[in-house]
Each structure stands twice: as C-alpha cells, then as structure tokens.
C-alpha cells in the first residue's frame, strides 16, 4: 500500500486555535471525557471498508452494548483525500472522534496540538507495541494515538534465476547474499540488475544506515541534530552505495514507486521492498515474463552488521482529535478495534499486528514467518518537532541520487543533507 507523506505544515495557522485550547480540553487524557455522548464519528480509510468491515462492526457492537442508544457513524476516505478533509474540520465542531492516520502523518499533527493525549495503559498490549509503531504515536513523552496495524519490508528473489547458478535456498547472511548476487550478475551480464534497488528509495537506504548504528538524526539535551555525517551513518550509506554500484544497472535517478512493475518485466533477480511487492509483480497484469507465479520467494533481508537489517515499519494509527466531544467513547472504540480480538482479525487479513506478542505467533506459520521475523528489527523517522516540516523525502532522495550517480561523494552528499535537515528539525 503506497502512502504519500502528507506534512501538516499546511494547517499551521488553523492549528493555533486548536493548540490554544489544548490544556483546558485535554485534562482527561482522552480517557473519560464525553462517555455520555450520543454519537461517535469514526473516520477510516477505504482499506477497512473494503477488506475487514466485519472487524469494524465488531468494534461498533462492543461499544454500543456498553452504551445503549449510541449512534456510531463511519466515513471512509482514500489516502490522498483524508487529510485535506481533516485539515478543514479540525478547528471546527465538525471534527471526527476517531481518525485513521498513516504513521508517517502523525508527527506534524501532534506538534500542532491536533490530537488529544491518551493513557496507553488503558489499551490492550500497549506494553508490547512494536518499537517503530510506538514511536509514531509518541511526542515529548506523551502518547497521542494507538497503533492499528503494521506493514514491513522483506527481500524477494526469483528462484529460477538463483537456481540457474546453483543456488537452492535464500541466503541467511549478508556475505552469502552478495556472493549469490555476484554469481547471478556474472551469468546474466552487465545490463541485468541482480538486485534492482532504486537509488532514491530512502526507506531502503536508511535501513543500511540504522544497521550500521547510524541514524537520520539524534536527540541530545532536548535538541535534535542531523546525524547522516556520523561515522556509523556514513558506513551505512557506503554499504548502500556498494549495492547500487555492483547490482543496480538501471536508471540511477528513479525512486521505488514502480519497482514492482520493473520486477515484473524480468529485468532483475531480487528486490528489497514492501512485503506486497513480490506478489504484485507476479500478478498476470504485471508479469511480462510469464514465469513469476510460484517462482518468487520472500526472505528476511540480512544486514552487513551480521544481524537482520532493521526495516521501516509503515502502518496506521488511530487518533482522537482534541476537538472531539466524545473522547472517552472514542478511546473505548479504538481499544475494541485494535485490542486483542481485533488484532487476530487483522492478522487473518494478512496484516502485521501492532504488538510483539502477536507478532511472535506469526513466526510459527511458514506463510507469515518471513515478514514477522523481518519486522522484529525496525526503525522509524526522528520524532523531532520540525521533522513534520522537513521535505524529508526530497532531502534524502537528493542525497541518495547524488551518491548513486556519483555527482557527489558520500561524505559531501551526507553533509549537505545534514545541513538541510538542521535548518528546521527543531522548529515548532
């Protein structure tokens, strides 16, 4: 599921009025205010409407049973439309009581005071929330939402191409992976991508950075500072560059948006991306080789560090707008929807759960073991006040394109990116 990173800076003026009333409206922490409301309005994306409507109804029924006469209203939006609508109503009395947010969308809204804080202890499995998801709902030591579900990243390769050079099983270690890819590259020739890795894919590049012990930015003494020029981050960027140099022979200015299409054209042996990309490439609409069905294999991406590479966790969170008059009911509905029973239903639909306990159960099933294992090691963007205002994709993509095309050295490109990030990362 491809999501656009929608920064909240465009609603800064409107948010002034929200932040001004935040202290007086939020002393309940979203836990008991409005439990006697007669209506609850829940905004979700069309993913819930199309793929697990029964889970929505089950949450409705659970809350309505406790509050006879309660009317629960649902509105469903596509990802590009939701935030435009939300921005228009957040400072009015038309704000929804529950809203689904992409986890990368949360920060700008939390900084501007758009969401009510919640008490995590009142939600099922909160002590076991996946680290990357927990980070996405946490700002300045307060919790402003509840993780809903997650999506991870895995490696995927063609078994037939691997078998053509005598490889029968996916690699477990990074050195084994590169040795396998060297064999494939040599056999297939210079125009083939043993590993199709789009240069501007900052999610993949930052996985190498975090694997090496680096980070995009780090907090010291209450201030954030860009960290891409640290020795650890530079090692990760150099590891990423080596992949581009050795195995990526396509356009060095592309991002990952059409990676599954390129993969389906048979121009590569391996990708590292969202868990759905391999299956989508094998769809008859995208498979131009006619060979990908039952011929693709997911595996956990090993990292140069010797451990599984940390992956970016995408996913959704549920938040309660500060203007909601039914915050207590909203919290009850969120817990009914994302709690233990809800997570079972979401996992049955192919999603990763929001917590480590349920994630561990998926490792025992061969059908889900790879994405579940990969998700155990994860990272998330800096939760710095200005990160929601940083054109992060552009900054990181420019850095990576300069590295991949050789326009700048790794050190110079990282230094430029650090300078751009530092200009605004601490700005509220």
């Amino acid at each position: 599921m491809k999501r656009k990173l929608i920064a909240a800076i465009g609603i800064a003026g409107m948010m002034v009025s929200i932040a001004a009333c935040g202290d007086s409206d939020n002393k309940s922490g979203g836990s008991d205010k409005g439990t006697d409301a007669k209506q609850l309005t829940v905004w979700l994306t069309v993913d819930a409407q199309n793929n697990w409507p029964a889970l929505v109804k089950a949450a409705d029924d659970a809350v309505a049973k406790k509050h006879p006469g309660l009317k629960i209203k649902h509105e469903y939006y596509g990802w590009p439309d939701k935030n435009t609508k939300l921005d228009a109503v957040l400072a009015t009395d038309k704000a929804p009581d529950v809203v689904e947010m992409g986890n990368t969308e949360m920060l700008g809204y939390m900084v501007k005071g758009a969401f009510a804080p919640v008490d995590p202890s009142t939600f099922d499995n909160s002590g076991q929330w996946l680290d990357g998801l927990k980070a996405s709902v946490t700002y300045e030591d307060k919790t402003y939402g509840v993780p809903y579900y997650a999506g991870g990243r895995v490696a995927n390769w063609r078994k037939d191409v691997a078998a053509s050079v005598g490889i029968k099983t996916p690699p477990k270690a990074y050195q084994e992976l590169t040795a396998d890819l060297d064999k494939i590259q040599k056999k297939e020739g210079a125009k083939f991508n043993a590993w199709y890795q789009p240069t501007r894919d900052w999610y993949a590049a930052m996985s190498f950075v975090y694997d090496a012990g680096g980070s995009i930015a780090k907090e010291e003494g209450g201030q954030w500072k860009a960290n891409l020029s640290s020795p650890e981050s530079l090692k990760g960027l150099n590891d990423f560059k080596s992949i581009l140099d050795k195995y990526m022979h396509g356009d060095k200015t592309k991002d990952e948006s059409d990676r599954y299409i390129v993969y389906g054209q048979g121009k590569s042996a391996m990708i590292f991306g969202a868990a759905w990309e391999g299956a989508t490439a094998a769809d008859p609409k995208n498979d131009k080789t006619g060979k990908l069905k039952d011929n693709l294999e997911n595996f956990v991406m090993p990292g140069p560090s010797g451990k599984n590479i940390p992956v970016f966790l995408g996913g959704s969170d549920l938040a309660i707008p500060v203007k909601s008059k039914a915050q207590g009911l909203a919290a009850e509905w969120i817990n009914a929807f994302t709690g233990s029973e809800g997570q079972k239903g979401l996992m049955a639909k192919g999603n990763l759960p929001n917590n480590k306990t349920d994630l561990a159960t998926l490792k025992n099933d061969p059908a889900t073991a790879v994405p579940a294992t990969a998700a155990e090691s994860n990272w998330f963007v800096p939760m710095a006040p200005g990160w929601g205002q940083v054109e992060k994709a552009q900054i990181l993509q420019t850095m990576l394109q300069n590295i991949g095309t050789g326009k700048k050295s790794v050190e110079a490109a990282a230094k430029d990116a650090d300078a751009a990030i530092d200009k605004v990362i601490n700005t509220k």
Side-chain angles (χ1 to χ4, degrees):
M1 185 163 42
K2 180 67 177 176
R3 294 177 177 167
K4 296 181 179 180
L5 302 179
I6 306 173
I9 187 171
I11 59 171
M14 176 268 287
M15 285 300 181
V16 172
S17 63
I18 293 176
C21 70
D23 289 341
S24 61
D25 280 356
N26 279 314
K27 291 182 179 179
S28 69
S31 61
D32 54 20
K33 176 184 175 182
T35 53
D36 58 350
K38 300 304 181 184
Q39 179 170 304
L40 187 70
T41 300
V42 178
W43 285 15
L44 299 172
T45 67
V46 293
D47 301 312
Q49 182 182 33
N50 296 335
N51 299 319
W52 42 89
L55 302 183
V56 177
K57 185 178 185 302
D60 289 352
D61 291 345
V63 175
K65 184 177 181 179
K66 291 177 59 179
H67 302 276
L70 175 66
K71 180 180 179 181
I72 302 177
K73 177 184 176 183
H74 293 279
E75 295 185 26
Y76 295 94
Y77 295 92
W79 284 104
D81 306 323
K82 172 182 61 68
N83 286 41
T84 301
K85 175 72 171 178
L86 182 63
D87 295 349
V89 302
L90 274 178
T92 74
D93 60 0
K94 304 294 186 182
D97 302 300
V98 177
V99 62
E100 177 181 352
M101 303 293 294
N103 59 358
T104 54
E105 299 171 347
M106 285 289 293
L107 178 60
Y109 288 85
M110 293 190 292
V111 171
K112 298 301 180 183
F115 298 142
V118 299
D119 178 359
S121 69
T122 62
F123 297 94
D124 292 356
N125 298 311
S126 60
Q128 291 293 310
W129 284 344
L130 299 179
D131 295 339
L133 298 186
K134 181 179 179 180
S136 74
V137 297
T138 305
Y139 178 66
E140 293 187 340
D141 298 323
K142 290 185 178 180
T143 304
Y144 290 92
V146 176
Y148 172 8
Y149 66 90
R153 283 165 167 74
V154 298
N156 180 287
W157 75 358
R158 288 180 56 173
K159 293 186 288 185
D160 60 339
V161 176
S164 71
V165 292
I167 301 166
K168 298 181 180 179
T169 58
K172 301 295 185 183
Y174 190 73
Q175 293 75 15
E176 183 184 357
L177 170 64
T178 56
D180 291 347
L181 292 174
D182 288 343
K183 294 177 183 177
I184 291 171
Q185 192 66 66
K186 181 178 180 180
K187 179 181 182 296
E188 297 295 335
K191 293 184 178 181
F192 188 79
N193 305 292
W195 176 347
Y196 180 73
Q197 177 51 64
T199 306
R200 292 163 62 88
D201 177 9
W202 64 277
Y203 296 108
M206 293 305 104
S207 285
F208 281 86
V209 166
Y210 282 87
D211 181 68
S215 60
I216 298 172
K218 61 181 180 179
E219 185 179 17
E220 293 181 353
Q223 291 289 301
W224 286 83
K225 184 172 178 57
N227 193 45
L228 292 167
S229 294
S230 69
E232 296 83 1
S233 295
L234 289 175
K235 181 185 183 306
L237 289 171
N238 276 299
D239 288 337
F240 184 71
K241 183 178 186 300
S242 71
I243 294 302
L244 301 176
D245 291 345
K246 292 177 67 176
Y247 308 123
M248 171 60 180
H249 303 295
D251 185 348
K252 295 290 181 71
T253 66
K254 288 179 67 66
D255 65 18
E256 73 279 12
S257 59
D258 66 346
R259 172 169 46 208
Y260 68 94
I261 294 175
V262 176
Y263 197 30
Q265 293 170 344
K267 298 179 179 180
S268 55
M270 173 185 152
I271 59 172
F272 170 48
W276 56 263
E277 291 187 50
T280 306
D283 186 295
K285 296 191 300 290
N286 300 315
D287 180 10
K288 305 305 180 183
T289 71
K291 301 177 180 178
L292 299 186
K293 184 179 180 181
D294 301 323
N295 191 33
L296 297 182
E297 183 173 20
N298 283 336
F299 60 94
V300 179
M301 178 67 188
S305 68
K307 301 177 182 178
N308 295 338
I309 203 164
V311 299
F312 176 82
L313 280 185
S316 283
D317 300 323
L318 296 175
I320 303 171
V322 70
K323 287 286 188 175
S324 166
K325 297 180 177 64
Q327 292 180 21
L329 288 175
E332 288 184 30
W333 191 92
I334 290 174
N335 194 43
F337 190 51
T338 65
S340 298
E341 290 303 312
Q343 291 301 308
K344 290 178 182 177
L346 288 166
M347 289 189 293
K349 294 294 183 178
N351 300 294
L352 293 179
N354 66 4
N355 66 90
K356 299 172 185 176
T357 302
D358 286 327
L359 188 71
T361 66
L362 295 181
K363 293 175 62 179
N364 298 322
D365 184 345
T368 55
V370 169
T373 302
E376 286 184 311
S377 178
N378 55 78
W379 62 273
F380 198 66
V381 297
M383 296 305 284
W387 185 253
Q389 302 183 42
V390 175
E391 292 294 339
K392 54 268 190 186
Q394 183 177 343
I395 291 171
L396 296 175
Q397 287 177 336
T398 298
M399 175 188 71
L400 295 172
Q401 183 170 320
N402 286 334
I403 290 171
T405 59
K407 184 177 181 180
K408 293 186 178 181
S409 68
V410 171
E411 292 76 9
K415 184 177 180 181
D416 289 347
D418 277 351
I421 292 171
D422 277 337
K423 285 182 180 179
V424 292
I425 197 168
N426 291 297
T427 304
K428 290 190 177 181

